[in-house]
Amino acid sequence: MAKIAYILLCHKDPDAIIMQAERLTVAGDYMAIHFDARAKPEHFKKIKDALSDNPNVTFARKRIKCGWGTWSLVQASLYAVQAAVENFPRATHFYMLSGDCMAIKTAEYAHKFLDENDKDFIESFDYFESDWIKTGWKEERLVYRHFFNERTQKKRFYAAYNLQQRLGLKRDIPHDIQVMIGSQWWCLRRRTVEWILDFTRQRRDVMRFFRTTWIPDETFFQTLVRHLIPEDEIEARTLTFLMFSDYGMPVTFHNDHYDLLLAQDFLFARKISPEAKELKARLGRLYAAHDVGFQISNEGTSLYKFLTGRGRMGRRFSMRFWETESSLGRERELLIVVCKKWHVAKRLLEQIRHVANVPTIDYLFNEESTPLPDLGGIQTSLEKRTRHRRALMRMLFEYYNTDRLVICMDSSNLDLMNDFYSDRSVSRLLEIDCHFSDEYLTGHAHRVGLAGERTPKATLERLLPTIRNDMNHESDLIRDAGFSRYQRIRETATAEENAPKLAEFLSISWDQGLRLAQTDHLFSD
């Protein structure tokens, strides 16, 4: 059965560290602690005194001063790992934690999970090929030597970098090493950890290289694991649930996040707010509990992005011109059908093909699978279609040899509507106003990843009003945009009331518009 040695790097809040150590060792697991040498000596003494009688707790044999972005964080981890290996021979796994982490599963669940998954869990992506680094330095982190702490010795840090750059003092990466990158929160098997420790003793050249790289805690273990362990024994993910805001700051969890955290497919979560005392108490009791069932829905990240996105003003709906010199053509008409219920719009387009004899295309900017002709590759992905939207539409007009074309869009695509309306061509817009039942909204939440099959009912009940308001808000924005040649049909209206709107939109007769409005089961879910 799996037994975990937790590797805890910490620098403050001795009471919380003591509680964390006691909680995680009560079920038979272990902990090795490195307490930052910069911290108050009395705090370290308090921790050692409180845990001195706990045989499942040990301390790194040497304490060093740690600084963000420097080798000291990796060295502190190695000291704690070494202490854990020497003192806990029965430990099968080594799990990196911070003082802000808390278990969101029971020890029983964690042990069973690790027994059933004989792999190393560590984010490990190609440093140069992946997009793990979104902004800022990339190659510079490795090929230049970084001797100073960027946060506490900023002038020296950048002076040393600028000097090396001017003198052309780039260095080579060790020839047999493929540098990898990922989160520093990993869980490794004992064999892997022992091989890493052996490697650090044998490959002094690699150690010298990483000691002067920048932010090595994101590359050192990630690189060595991939270098030493077969790929099929590595799961390139962390078992610690963490999210980042648009500004690169870790998202903090509070008292009302308990159910959401337990529903995620992770063993720990970071960061727990220091003020979330109720959440800490509930999670603290959880680890030692038995026979607890977990309903994994795993919608945390997508739900966070959705809810924070709703809270922003502006919503990034300003016009964007990817091709400022392009136009669909002054004599052409683009007819846009907008509907949140895609199946409703698709039924209408099927009828338009027969009644109005106009080429139609479904949600080409929303569904990758929308059938499109081969247009030289521009149609192969949603990203390409959106980026080259006008060129794509010009090619479709030419492919169908027509000056009138009907397409579908989701109501969230206001930026696309704005862009096409700003073109020299004529754009017409038909919005389909549908009723959204709770059942439909629940299905929508599942389809877009805001909820999973096992999301608690209470969570869904809190979420549905937000989704409903969001859909209504999208519709309001479309009407507030003041588009010319805009028509709107409603599910609650009669066929006779919707017929003239359809006729006006498609430039067809009232009778033809009535045929479209009378489409069988047009609004059915």
Side-chain angles (χ1 to χ4, degrees), residues 338-345 363 410-412 431-445 447 464-476 478-479 488-489 491-492 523-525:
V338 176
C339 186
K340 200 67 181 182
K341 289 187 176 181
W342 295 2
H343 57 280
V344 174
Y363 286 84
D410 188 84
S411 56
S412 63
E431 183 183 5
I432 305 177
D433 179 28
C434 298
H435 171 69
F436 302 109
S437 66
D438 285 352
E439 184 180 7
Y440 173 81
L441 293 178
T442 298
H444 176 77
R447 286 190 293 275
L464 293 188
T466 303
I467 299 176
R468 190 187 303 279
N469 291 337
D470 188 62
M471 291 180 175
N472 292 335
H473 183 66
E474 290 176 355
S475 180
D476 288 341
I478 292 172
R479 279 177 278 175
R488 186 166 181 253
I489 64 173
E491 182 175 356
T492 55
F523 292 99
S524 298
D525 289 336

Side-chain angles (χ1 to χ4, degrees), residues 270-320:
R270 182 180 187 272
K271 293 178 143 185
I272 308 298
S273 169
E275 288 75 37
K277 299 190 184 303
E278 179 186 344
L279 176 62
K280 286 189 170 187
R282 296 178 74 183
L283 292 177
R285 293 190 295 268
L286 178 68
Y287 192 71
H290 294 282
D291 301 322
V292 178
F294 295 94
Q295 303 295 318
I296 305 298
S297 56
N298 218 33
E299 77 279 10
T301 301
S302 57
L303 185 58
Y304 170 78
K305 290 179 179 178
F306 172 75
L307 293 175
T308 53
R310 304 289 73 75
R312 296 193 185 96
M313 297 303 293
R315 292 173 175 253
R316 302 192 181 100
F317 283 146
S318 58
M319 290 183 288
R320 293 179 289 178

Side-chain angles (χ1 to χ4, degrees), residues 228-269:
L228 297 169
I229 304 301
E231 185 173 358
D232 61 359
E233 295 183 28
I234 301 172
E235 193 74 30
R237 56 163 291 199
T238 176
L239 294 178
T240 298
F241 180 58
L242 66 162
M243 298 188 296
F244 290 90
S245 70
D246 289 350
Y247 307 101
M249 299 300 292
V251 174
T252 301
F253 299 108
H254 300 278
N255 288 333
D256 58 348
H257 287 127
Y258 180 80
D259 291 331
L260 179 141
L261 291 176
L262 266 58
Q264 306 314 307
D265 188 19
F266 296 85
L267 304 184
F268 279 76

Side-chain angles (χ1 to χ4, degrees), residues 51-77:
L51 299 174
S52 60
D53 295 332
N54 189 331
N56 287 12
V57 175
T58 190
F59 293 85
R61 66 177 184 269
K62 184 177 180 181
R63 293 171 58 213
I64 59 174
K65 295 179 180 179
C66 295
W68 182 88
T70 67
W71 171 254
S72 57
L73 290 175
V74 177
Q75 186 63 70
S77 303

Side-chain angles (χ1 to χ4, degrees), residues 300-423:
T301 301
S302 57
L303 185 58
Y304 170 78
K305 290 179 179 178
F306 172 75
L307 293 175
T308 53
R310 304 289 73 75
R312 296 193 185 96
M313 297 303 293
R315 292 173 175 253
R316 302 192 181 100
F317 283 146
S318 58
M319 290 183 288
R320 293 179 289 178
F321 296 93
W322 297 107
E323 300 168 76
T324 54
E325 301 303 319
S326 68
S327 171
L328 307 189
R330 194 180 296 275
E331 306 304 321
R332 287 172 171 162
E333 281 188 333
L334 179 63
L335 293 87
I336 305 170
V337 176
V338 176
C339 186
K340 200 67 181 182
K341 289 187 176 181
W342 295 2
H343 57 280
V344 174
K346 290 177 180 180
R347 284 191 199 121
L348 181 61
L349 257 67
E350 180 66 27
Q351 290 301 105
I352 289 174
R353 280 193 283 271
H354 298 302
V355 173
N357 194 29
V358 180
T360 64
I361 304 173
D362 292 343
Y363 286 84
L364 73 166
F365 294 111
N366 303 102
E367 283 189 304
E368 196 95 54
S369 59
T370 299
L372 291 172
D374 185 352
L375 302 174
I378 195 174
Q379 82 291 342
T380 55
S381 69
L382 290 178
E383 191 272 334
K384 285 185 178 180
R385 296 176 200 172
T386 303
R387 177 156 34 100
H388 304 297
R389 60 189 73 168
R390 296 194 187 184
L392 173 70
M393 296 311 303
R394 274 203 321 275
M395 296 170 77
L396 288 170
F397 274 110
E398 292 165 4
Y399 177 85
Y400 288 107
N401 192 25
T402 183
D403 288 331
R404 303 183 79 223
L405 186 64
V406 185
I407 65 171
C408 289
M409 282 190 195
D410 188 84
S411 56
S412 63
N413 294 140
L414 187 60
D415 55 341
L416 290 172
M417 301 172 214
N418 273 317
D419 191 36
F420 286 127
Y421 259 87
S422 68
D423 189 71

